[in-house]
Amino acid sequence: MRGHPAVSRRCTPALLTERLSVWWFTPAPAARLAGTRITHGAFSLWYLAKRRSMLAEIHRSGSNDFAPVGPCRILSKPLPATVADRIVDATLVAAAAAATGLCYRVTGPMAGALLTWTLSYRNSWTMIFHNDNLMVLHAAALAAGPSADALSVDAWVRGCRTGPSGADARYGWPLQLASTTTVTTYALAGVAKVAGPLGWKWTSGESLRRQVAVDGVRKEAFGSPASPLAYKLYGNVTLFRILALGSMAIELLGPIAIFDRRLARLWALAAWQLHWGILAIMKIKFRYQLSGAAYASFMDLERLIRR
Amino acid sequence: MTPLTRRLAATYSLTLLGAVITPVRQNWRPKPRKDGFPLSYYPMFSARRPATTTVYSLVGVAADRTRVRLPYRIAGTGGLNQVRRQINRCVAEGRTKELCQRVARELIARNQQQRSLFSEIVSVDLVASKFRLDDCFAGDGLVGEETVLESMTCVDTQP
């Protein structure tokens, strides 16, 4: 792997484990992990605050539409609406505390747990929104590490705003976990296509073209216009083949790119552009990804502070 | 990091990654497959799509028999696809009358609050529309065969 001393030993499982361990615990500055914490926390706060009214309406939906997922499967019926509302409010408070790094050892895991519950509950009304998964998984990754050792209220109280100098493995592994989780989710999406009814023929582009059409028709049927680009591009089968191949490459190559920091950043840029393409052609918003916050763990965010 | 904290970090990481990967098994289970949250096998865009598609949606009918497609917000909340799925579930479970009654009540309430763009609507139809994708995207607009599954009059009983 790049950046590590060449070793002439045979590739045994023990050697592989050692190299993986060295890679996993690559040192990182405290400010980089803190920057990722702030980016994730700020996005979560904005995302939930903007949806507070919508979530309140959902909490008042009929129980016929209730199909609990994740931790909400312990419920046999919806919560009383006011209880669900208060949980959302508690999530907002915890997310704010985690984003600012206030008593993070408690608020970090609390924000992660509440976010998991709130978004699971949101996704328990017959439809699973796959744009919310990564936000929850990243909360789990960040909450497990010392993500508030820098650029936080906790650090300011300790008198060390920018955190300890130098890089340390304890700040690196949560970032590796967040990034690896990211590429894994994309790889799973790629596997689902290849393991699906079309297999590798999915990359011919015809299925993607029809998917774009079905989505557009559904929107139009509910009085919401489809993307004009969908109409313009529908007849271009070759373009859809290129788009299908490109998206499959992004999905399946992430777990390989992750091992080289520069390649991983290029991958993150490609994945981010993929979502802007999906927005342009299908008007489907993966907001966490579109904002770039989903890829914060790939970036050297501490450079923004040094400037 | 001490050896203990490294071991704890490694264990936590493997546990989380293992949990994220586990749903991949769903790909090889017989249908219906179970998708979940936040752990999913991300089946988006993987289904085989035929050349035609059927959409269950709501149409408002005016007194002059003009038909207008009703926005999803009339029938529910949480986004278009969530409401669409809920409508599909109503159809699958035979709750079409209940759905149309709910939509009719919503239209009446909006008319009373004078915030409706559909004040001309006198009845609501739940329709199954079968669309040929190539025809819809050939520039002819939404072209399909429509079947009315349920119909409900929007009657305002308030004086």
Side-chain angles (χ1 to χ4, degrees):
Chain A
M1 286 169 243
R2 276 179 83 132
H4 298 282
V7 179
S8 57
R9 289 177 279 166
R10 276 181 31 225
C11 188
T12 60
L15 177 62
L16 192 60
T17 306
E18 182 195 325
R19 295 294 293 270
L20 279 172
S21 177
V22 167
W23 169 71
W24 193 257
F25 291 101
T26 300
R32 187 182 301 170
L33 179 58
T36 305
R37 180 201 91 237
I38 292 167
T39 308
H40 174 272
F43 181 87
S44 303
L45 199 55
W46 169 82
Y47 185 74
L48 283 179
K50 207 165 180 272
R51 276 157 190 76
R52 193 166 172 270
S53 310
M54 183 194 76
L55 291 173
E57 284 180 35
I58 291 173
H59 297 162
R60 285 150 182 84
S61 302
S63 57
N64 282 326
D65 295 324
F66 189 57
V69 294
C72 299
R73 281 180 296 175
I74 59 173
L75 301 172
S76 55
K77 57 181 182 175
L79 291 171
T82 47
V83 171
D85 293 346
R86 294 296 80 78
I87 293 175
V88 171
D89 290 340
T91 308
L92 284 166
V93 171
T100 54
L102 171 67
C103 302
Y104 189 77
R105 278 211 175 156
V106 173
T107 59
M110 192 182 297
L114 285 169
L115 191 68
T116 302
W117 177 271
T118 295
L119 289 179
S120 296
Y121 197 71
R122 187 266 178 274
N123 280 275
S124 293
W125 301 89
T126 317
M127 173 78 189
I128 290 174
F129 291 88
H130 293 95
N131 38 336
D132 290 344
N133 305 58
L134 207 49
M135 219 190 325
V136 169
L137 298 174
H138 283 175
L142 295 169
S147 304
D149 272 11
L151 307 173
S152 63
V153 173
D154 289 351
W156 177 71
V157 165
R158 281 195 301 267
C160 185
R161 196 174 54 88
T162 51
S165 59
D168 195 293
R170 66 183 192 263
Y171 304 121
W173 76 265
L175 291 168
Q176 295 284 45
L177 180 56
S179 298
T180 306
T181 304
T182 305
V183 301
T184 303
T185 58
Y186 282 85
L188 286 172
V191 167
K193 294 177 178 73
V194 175
L198 292 163
W200 287 102
K201 284 192 186 144
W202 191 92
T203 55
S204 73
E206 185 56 29
S207 177
L208 180 60
R209 198 172 79 103
R210 290 221 177 128
Q211 181 66 55
V212 169
V214 165
D215 190 78
V217 159
R218 285 170 179 170
K219 285 180 164 68
E220 297 277 1
F222 283 94
S224 181
S227 166
L229 211 50
Y231 288 99
K232 274 204 180 84
L233 301 179
Y234 183 74
N236 194 333
V237 177
T238 305
L239 177 65
F240 276 98
R241 183 169 300 137
I242 294 169
L243 292 175
L245 281 166
S247 61
M248 184 66 79
I250 289 169
E251 285 171 349
L252 294 180
L253 294 180
I256 297 171
I258 190 77
F259 289 104
D260 180 278
R261 192 149 175 83
R262 259 172 284 188
L263 270 180
R265 273 203 287 260
L266 274 174
W267 177 89
L269 182 63
W272 179 69
Q273 289 178 338
L274 166 70
H275 288 286
W276 279 97
I278 292 171
L279 175 65
I281 298 175
M282 299 177 76
K283 287 169 95 172
I284 293 177
K285 293 177 188 171
F286 284 78
R287 288 178 177 82
Y288 187 48
Q289 287 80 351
L290 286 170
S291 72
Y295 313 105
S297 60
F298 292 86
M299 306 302 167
D300 296 345
L301 294 179
E302 73 279 7
R303 292 188 186 188
L304 296 173
I305 301 136
R306 272 191 232 139
R307 283 191 199 137
Chain B
M1 289 177 81
T2 63
L4 176 63
T5 52
R6 279 174 85 104
R7 224 171 285 136
L8 285 171
T11 304
Y12 183 85
S13 301
L14 284 170
T15 305
L16 181 60
L17 284 172
V20 170
I21 291 170
T22 300
V24 76
R25 306 177 293 183
Q26 293 295 326
N27 288 300
W28 296 283
R29 289 234 164 109
K31 286 184 180 180
R33 294 181 185 127
K34 280 195 74 152
D35 195 12
F37 183 93
L39 304 176
S40 168
Y41 71 109
Y42 302 94
M44 314 87 76
F45 305 164
S46 64
R48 186 195 300 269
R49 296 288 178 196
T52 60
T53 191
T54 298
V55 181
Y56 298 112
S57 61
L58 297 152
V59 172
V61 185
D64 62 357
R65 310 308 296 164
T66 315
R67 298 173 72 76
V68 59
R69 295 196 172 277
L70 297 177
Y72 72 87
R73 286 188 180 86
I74 298 282
T77 189
L80 186 151
N81 277 322
Q82 177 158 301
V83 174
R84 180 183 59 78
R85 285 204 173 199
Q86 288 169 351
I87 291 173
N88 290 354
R89 196 163 153 167
C90 283
V91 172
E93 294 175 356
R95 293 186 285 117
T96 53
K97 192 171 181 176
E98 172 197 314
L99 170 64
C100 285
Q101 279 173 343
R102 186 157 42 100
V103 172
R105 275 199 302 269
E106 176 65 21
L107 280 171
I108 292 168
R110 287 184 183 216
N111 286 340
Q112 285 170 351
Q113 291 166 26
Q114 295 180 326
R115 58 183 179 101
S116 174
L117 298 171
F118 306 106
S119 51
E120 313 286 309
I121 304 296
V122 296
S123 69
V124 172
D125 286 349
L126 171 65
V127 300
S129 306
K130 188 171 180 182
F131 300 109
R132 268 189 298 282
L133 300 177
D134 286 348
D135 293 344
C136 293
F137 280 77
D140 300 332
L142 217 55
V143 177
E145 299 153 18
E146 207 172 79
T147 307
V148 178
L149 303 178
E150 188 75 56
S151 201
M152 186 72 52
T153 312
C154 299
V155 175
D156 185 352
T157 55
Q158 290 210 5

